[in-house]
């Protein structure tokens, strides 16, 4: 799994996943292990994300969904929450132009309404100003929860006066935040927890999972490459038989 990660040979992958989801977990434990504050841990995680974005483009991933703040993360201290909001804001302020130059299109998944107006406007600006980019679609799940996503979908279905007979899996998919996007092929979770933590629970019904003990700030290009090449060996049967 995590062995032989010193390879610098990143030859093109024959069959990279189209859509990768990442539960970027372990910033806090990384900080603790390195004698730093949790805030510094989140910053280190954000720096790592910049690298992973470039690697995603290089490895042929077309869509990346990152779990950056869950609806459950409001249970953390006000101090930590403020830090996480500030980090997202500063990424938009300082790095948006560079992300756009790289051809990255930013989308948001989750409830925008509950975020402060300044941050909300910046996120909307980030989406608007990158909407024509097509190298990599980056879905930022921020104030996102899978159950809350399903609840908002059901509410809108009712508001649209959809009749029971019209409700299908395809229709419900169109009411999710990911409307129009293919389901994730691969979900990576760092820091060794074996749970979804409410991430893409509708969309990931048939995703492949990869869980690594590595803390998110240490998740390297080499491990990412190895994860993607291992993915291409998997036998995805979708309940059928080959
Ligand atoms: C993931 O790192 C980032 C967020 C949840 C925002 P954590 O902050 O959960 O790090 P650990 O799990 O405490 O190590
Ligand atoms: C999941 O990590 C959420 C994000 C990575 C944003 P958590 O650290 O919040 O999840 P739990 O608490 O371990 O389930
Ligand atoms: Mg965590």
């Amino acid at each position: 799994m995590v062995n032989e990660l010193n390879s610098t040979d990143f030859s093109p992958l024959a069959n990279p996943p189209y859509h990768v989801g990442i539960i970027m977990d372990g910033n806090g434990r990384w900080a603790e292990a390195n004698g730093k504050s949790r805030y510094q841990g989140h910053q280190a995680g954000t720096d790592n994300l910049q690298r992973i974005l470039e690697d995603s483009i290089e490895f042929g991933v077309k869509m990346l969904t990152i779990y950056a703040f869950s609806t459950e993360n409001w249970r953390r201290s006000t101090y930590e929450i403020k830090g996480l909001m500030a980090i997202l804001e500063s990424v938009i302020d300082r790095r948006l132009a560079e992300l756009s130059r790289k051809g990255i299109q930013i989308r948001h998944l989750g409830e925008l309404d509950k975020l402060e107006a300044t941050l909300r406007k910046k996120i909307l600006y980030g989406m608007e100003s990158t909407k024509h980019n097509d190298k990599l679609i980056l879905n930022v799940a921020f104030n996102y929860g899978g159950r809350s996503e399903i609840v908002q979908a059901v509410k809108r279905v009712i508001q649209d006066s959809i009749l029971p007979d019209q409700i299908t899996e395809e229709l419900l998919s169109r009411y999710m935040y990911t409307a129009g996007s293919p389901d994730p092929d691969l979900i990576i979770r760092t820091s060794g927890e074996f749970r979804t933590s409410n991430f893409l629970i509708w969309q990931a019904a048939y995703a492949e999972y990869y869980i690594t003990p590595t803390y998110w700030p240490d998740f390297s290009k080499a491990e990412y490459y190895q994860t993607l090449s291992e993915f291409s060996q998997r036998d995805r049967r979708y309940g059928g038989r080959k």
Side-chain angles (χ1 to χ4, degrees):
M1 181 170 62
V2 203
N3 51 1
E4 317 243 348
L5 289 178
N6 299 320
S7 148
T8 45
D9 170 26
F10 300 114
S11 45
L13 291 159
N15 188 21
Y18 183 94
H19 181 180
V20 175
I22 307 185
I23 303 174
M24 308 184 294
D25 198 13
N27 294 347
R29 278 162 285 171
W30 177 90
E32 201 175 329
N34 289 278
K36 299 192 192 278
S37 66
R38 291 186 67 85
Y39 179 77
Q40 288 173 313
H42 293 312
Q43 277 186 319
T46 308
D47 290 343
N48 196 43
L49 175 62
Q50 304 285 317
R51 291 188 284 272
I52 292 292
L53 291 177
E54 286 168 25
D55 302 340
S56 298
I57 295 173
E58 181 182 332
F59 297 156
V61 171
K62 295 291 177 201
M63 182 175 277
L64 185 68
T65 301
I66 50 155
Y67 206 8
F69 191 87
S70 76
T71 46
E72 288 69 41
N73 288 147
W74 293 106
R75 294 178 186 152
R76 297 191 180 195
S77 72
T78 315
Y79 179 76
E80 182 168 0
I81 292 170
K82 282 203 164 139
L84 288 162
M85 302 289 156
I87 288 173
L88 177 60
E89 214 170 308
S90 99
V91 168
I92 301 174
D93 286 346
R94 294 187 201 173
R95 303 199 179 155
L96 185 65
E98 181 194 326
L99 294 176
S100 190
R101 254 195 320 275
K102 289 184 176 137
I104 297 172
Q105 181 187 139
I106 298 169
R107 296 183 186 171
H108 172 260
L109 310 183
E111 260 191 278
L112 271 182
D113 291 358
K114 300 222 170 99
L115 302 176
E116 272 188 22
T118 332
L119 180 58
R120 188 167 62 237
K121 282 183 197 145
K122 285 183 182 178
I123 294 172
L124 289 170
Y125 173 73
M127 290 164 66
E128 180 59 28
S129 64
T130 60
K131 68 179 182 195
H132 298 300
N133 294 342
D134 61 2
K135 273 254 158 65
L136 176 73
I137 293 173
L138 174 65
N139 295 315
V140 182
F142 195 94
N143 196 20
Y144 171 89
R147 287 187 169 181
S148 111
E149 176 179 41
I150 293 168
V151 169
Q152 67 77 36
V154 170
K155 284 184 182 164
R156 289 197 294 125
V157 163
I158 294 168
Q159 278 161 4
D160 288 352
S161 310
I162 310 273
L163 298 169
D165 280 355
Q166 298 172 306
I167 297 179
T168 60
E169 293 180 12
E170 288 68 30
L171 179 128
L172 275 181
S173 290
R174 291 202 297 275
Y175 279 85
M176 300 296 161
Y177 297 127
T178 47
S181 295
D183 286 340
D185 300 294
L186 172 68
I187 306 248
I188 298 170
R189 181 165 191 155
T190 56
S191 95
E193 310 292 358
F194 288 79
R195 52 178 172 259
T196 69
S197 298
N198 207 8
F199 183 53
L200 300 180
I201 52 177
W202 170 269
Q203 297 86 342
Y206 260 105
E208 297 292 320
Y209 277 82
Y210 173 86
I211 292 170
T212 170
T214 308
Y215 297 143
W216 171 248
D218 288 333
F219 187 75
S220 65
K221 180 174 186 176
E223 186 170 6
Y224 191 29
Y225 183 81
Q226 187 169 310
T227 307
L228 300 185
S229 37
E230 195 240 302
F231 164 86
S232 45
Q233 311 297 319
R234 294 206 191 170
D235 183 13
R236 302 181 80 189
R237 288 185 294 274
Y238 301 96
R241 298 192 61 188
K242 282 256 166 77

